[in-house]
Amino acid sequence: HFTSEPTYSPAEFPCVALYEADNSSYDKTKDSSGKENHAQVMYEAYVFSNKKQGRKTECKNIFKVVDEVMSALGFTRLTKQPFNTDNVSRLIGRYVAVISKNKEIFRR
């Protein structure tokens, strides 16, 4: 299951929640009138598994795909953190990039 909405307790498993968590003006490239030319964005990825056995492995395998896609798009991973409870394994990743008004992506 995939969603672009923040969720901490998905209805279906396995699940990937990937969404834009922050979007701010990249001040270094503002022009003299203060017009924004680039935005600095951060995406968060939450990967969930509730398998009885192999939850952590399933999360790691799914996260690897997310990581490869985000990297290929030009994003830099800031963090990858596990967060596990008794019944659900989670991996949380944060990705950043600078995006031009022409939709070009630059690694930070």
Side-chain angles (χ1 to χ4, degrees):
H1 181 71
F2 179 84
T3 181
S4 60
E5 298 290 326
T7 185
Y8 306 104
S9 182
E12 296 179 52
F13 291 90
C15 180
V16 175
L18 179 66
Y19 59 92
E20 188 175 85
D22 190 36
N23 182 325
S24 59
S25 179
Y26 190 64
D27 291 336
K28 293 179 182 181
T29 61
K30 282 186 178 178
D31 63 23
S32 59
S33 67
K35 187 175 180 181
E36 180 181 296
N37 289 300
H38 295 82
Q40 186 170 306
V41 298
M42 179 177 66
Y43 279 78
E44 289 187 346
Y46 282 70
V47 177
F48 302 87
S49 174
N50 69 343
K51 287 178 83 171
K52 291 200 184 282
Q53 293 184 344
R55 288 189 300 261
K56 290 179 184 178
T57 300
E58 183 174 55
C59 274
K60 287 178 184 179
N61 290 339
I62 295 169
F63 192 91
K64 183 180 178 187
V65 173
V66 171
D67 200 56
E68 289 170 355
V69 170
M70 294 301 285
S71 179
L73 289 171
F75 283 80
T76 300
R77 180 170 34 90
L78 289 180
T79 187
K80 175 184 172 185
Q81 298 174 298
F83 181 77
N84 301 306
T85 61
D86 290 337
N87 300 320
V88 177
S89 288
R90 297 172 186 86
L91 278 175
I92 304 163
R94 290 186 179 90
Y95 297 87
V96 294
V98 173
I99 302 177
S100 74
K101 62 184 177 183
N102 298 328
K103 299 183 178 154
E104 293 174 281
I105 299 174
F106 302 92
R107 291 186 190 276
R108 198 168 84 158

